[in-house]
């Protein structure tokens, strides 16, 4: 299957500047292509993941992907999809984010070539910029781009207005220096991508063979945007979103969404995905498709060891055998659950439930204990007079409390 046909089957093609031309080019030769990422933060989230996984599909087909980290464009701010100006970052913050994102991207996509657009943009003086590049952009055309026109009512600064020139310069530079012929981006980047095509054709001639491809905005079956949770973004940095939380995010996807997500976020074959689709229809309760999705994406982003830890935590929480977890695994498993700090001193079980905000009153705490609703580190306790020694569990750092079947609380020992 041609790479463009595969992308279409997977639902990864939103717009292309010339689909037939791009398909013929990829059948004729291996190409260099790129996707950019501005350093607005110090970690990617799963919204960034899909374009780069699309580049990985091109790599598997023998092509050469580049990632452009926007050390220059990130200091300006992309107006796309924003109702107001982005807060301007300091250059120190931009540099920190560039370093963090570059390290992260190299770990996840080791075969890609990484470049920073600050390296070529910083060398251009203001007069050269205006004469060599600004002259090639028509203001009327720029105003008609959706990324700009959507901001005209609320206002847009000249700084953000010129963003599409800088991004276009990236494409021109990569075309000249590395023969890059395709830019991939999200659906909201179409105006910036086509501006890059226009610049190359004006600077290098209309016969320059360059293309643009955007990926659709991902929506769930209920119409909401994919990738957000009640806690916010799902990050690729394990310190921001633990591998266990990451695994659970994918495992908990709706039956209506899981097959599309397998197509978009895994490298499973068409036959494998169609087999899982059949299992969703016949035995949805087994959640085999969700489990496979979680395994594939967690391994791709965090590696096999992290997957094994996430699976272990999942199994332990299901069985209730909390003592099987290590201290580090407890921290990962219960990140985000209600928590409170307690001292290292021995504490009565009733008082512990109050201190950890498990119960609001001693009367309720005693009832929960006597009714068998309380487990401490996986062990059911029914004696209200029992004293708990915090030093005996998880290196003296945590006590895990469960009330009922599913409600967990964490006492952190200070």
């Amino acid at each position: 299957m041609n790479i463009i046909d595969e992308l279409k089957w997977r639902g990864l093609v939103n717009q292309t500047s010339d689909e037939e031309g791009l398909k013929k080019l990829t059948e004729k030769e291996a190409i260099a292509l790129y996707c950019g990422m501005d350093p607005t933060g110090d970690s990617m989230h799963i919204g960034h993941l899909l374009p780069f996984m699309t580049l990985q599909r091109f790599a598997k087909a023998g092509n050469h992907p580049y990632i452009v980290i926007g050390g220059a464009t990130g200091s300006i701010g992309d107006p796309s999809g924003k109702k107001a100006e982005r807060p301007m970052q300091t250059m120190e913050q931009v540099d920190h984010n560039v370093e963090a994102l570059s390290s992260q991207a190299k770990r996840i996509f080791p075969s890609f070539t990484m470049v920073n657009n600050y390296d070529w943009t910083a060398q251009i003086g203001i007069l050269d910029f205006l004469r060599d590049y600004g002259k090639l952009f028509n203001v009327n055309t720029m105003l008609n781009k959706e990324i700009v026109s959507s901001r005209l009512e609320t206002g847009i600064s000249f700084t953000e207005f010129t963003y599409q020139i800088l991004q276009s310069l990236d494409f021109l530079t990569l075309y000249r220096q590395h023969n890059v012929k395709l830019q991939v981006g999200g659906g909201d980047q179409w105006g910036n991508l086509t501006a890059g095509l226009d610049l190359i054709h004006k600077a290098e001639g209309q016969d320059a063979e360059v293309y643009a491809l955007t990926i659709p905005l991902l929506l769930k079956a209920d119409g909401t945007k994919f990738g957000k949770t009640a806690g916010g973004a799902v990050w690729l940095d394990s310190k921001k979103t633990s591998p266990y939380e990451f695994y659970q995010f994918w495992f908990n996807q709706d039956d209506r969404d899981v097959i599309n997500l397998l197509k978009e976020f895994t490298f499973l074959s068409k036959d494998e995905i169609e087999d899982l689709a059949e299992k969703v229809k016949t035995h949805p309760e087994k959640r085999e498709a969700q489990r496979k999705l979680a395994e594939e994406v967690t391994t791709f982003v965090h590696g096999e060891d992290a997957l094994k830890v996430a699976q272990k935590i999942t199994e332990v929480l299901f069985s209730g055998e909390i003592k099987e977890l290590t201290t580090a695994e407890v921290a990962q498993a219960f990140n985000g659950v209600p928590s409170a700090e307690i001292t290292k001193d021995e504490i009565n079980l009733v008082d512990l439930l109050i201190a950890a905000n498990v119960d609001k009153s001693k009367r309720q705490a005693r009832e929960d204990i006597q009714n068998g609703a309380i487990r401490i580190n996986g062990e059911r306790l029914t004696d209200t007079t029992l004293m708990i020694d915090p030093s005996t569990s998880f290196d003296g750092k945590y006590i895990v409390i469960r009330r009922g079947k599913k409600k967990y609380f964490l006492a952190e020992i200070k």
Side-chain angles (χ1 to χ4, degrees), residues 21 106 150 175 179 265 280-281 297 299 301 305-306 310 332 361-362 391 398 402:
K106 287 176 182 176
S150 63
Y175 175 77
N179 199 30
F265 285 95
V280 171
K281 291 179 182 178
V297 188
T299 300
V301 173
D305 289 343
Q332 186 176 153
S361 69
K362 289 189 176 183
S391 67
Y398 304 109
R402 193 180 92 184

Side-chain angles (χ1 to χ4, degrees), residues 7-8 44 139 272 346 384 409 413:
L7 294 182
K8 291 182 70 176
M44 290 186 278
V139 170
E272 289 173 307
E346 273 196 338
T384 58
F409 300 82
I413 302 160

Side-chain angles (χ1 to χ4, degrees), residues 86-266:
R86 292 176 184 267
M88 190 74 75
Q89 296 187 106
T90 66
M91 287 308 297
E92 289 78 9
Q93 185 63 50
V94 171
D95 290 342
H96 167 76
N97 292 346
V98 165
E99 183 176 350
L101 288 174
S102 298
S103 176
Q104 189 178 69
K106 287 176 182 176
R107 177 182 63 80
I108 300 173
F109 302 98
S111 66
F112 291 12
T113 299
M114 306 285 301
V115 292
N116 183 346
N117 61 19
Y118 185 84
D119 293 341
W120 55 80
T121 307
Q123 302 172 15
I124 304 172
I126 182 64
L127 293 180
D128 290 333
F129 175 77
L130 293 173
R131 289 172 60 87
D132 295 344
Y133 306 108
K135 192 70 175 175
L136 299 177
F137 283 80
N138 184 293
V139 170
N140 290 338
T141 302
M142 295 174 72
L143 288 171
N144 286 328
K145 298 284 187 182
E146 184 180 354
I147 52 175
V148 173
S149 63
S150 63
R151 285 281 299 279
L152 292 181
E153 283 191 18
T154 57
I156 183 171
S157 69
F158 178 73
T159 298
E160 286 199 356
F161 181 64
T162 60
Y163 181 93
Q164 62 181 284
I165 300 179
L166 292 184
Q167 184 166 327
S168 300
L169 178 58
D170 292 346
F171 202 170
L172 176 62
T173 302
L174 292 171
Y175 175 77
R176 286 174 169 172
Q177 295 183 1
H178 304 287
N179 199 30
V180 170
K181 295 184 177 181
L182 171 64
Q183 182 180 180
V184 174
D188 62 342
Q189 291 292 308
W190 182 246
N192 287 330
L193 270 62
T194 54
L197 298 181
D198 293 341
L199 175 60
I200 292 173
H201 287 144
K202 289 177 180 178
E204 300 295 306
Q206 289 297 321
D207 59 344
E209 195 172 12
V210 286
Y211 302 88
L213 182 152
T214 61
I215 297 165
L217 175 68
L218 291 186
L219 297 175
K220 295 190 288 187
D222 62 9
T224 59
K225 188 176 180 180
F226 175 78
K228 296 289 185 179
T229 67
V234 180
W235 301 99
L236 307 193
D237 184 342
S238 61
K239 294 179 181 178
K240 293 176 180 286
T241 299
S242 72
Y244 166 71
E245 293 172 294
F246 191 81
Y247 177 89
Q248 286 295 315
F249 170 80
W250 298 101
F251 183 77
N252 288 319
Q253 292 303 313
D254 194 292
D255 287 345
R256 297 172 295 173
D257 298 314
V258 67
I259 298 306
N260 284 337
L261 294 174
L262 283 164
K263 291 179 180 180
E264 294 154 349
F265 285 95
T266 78

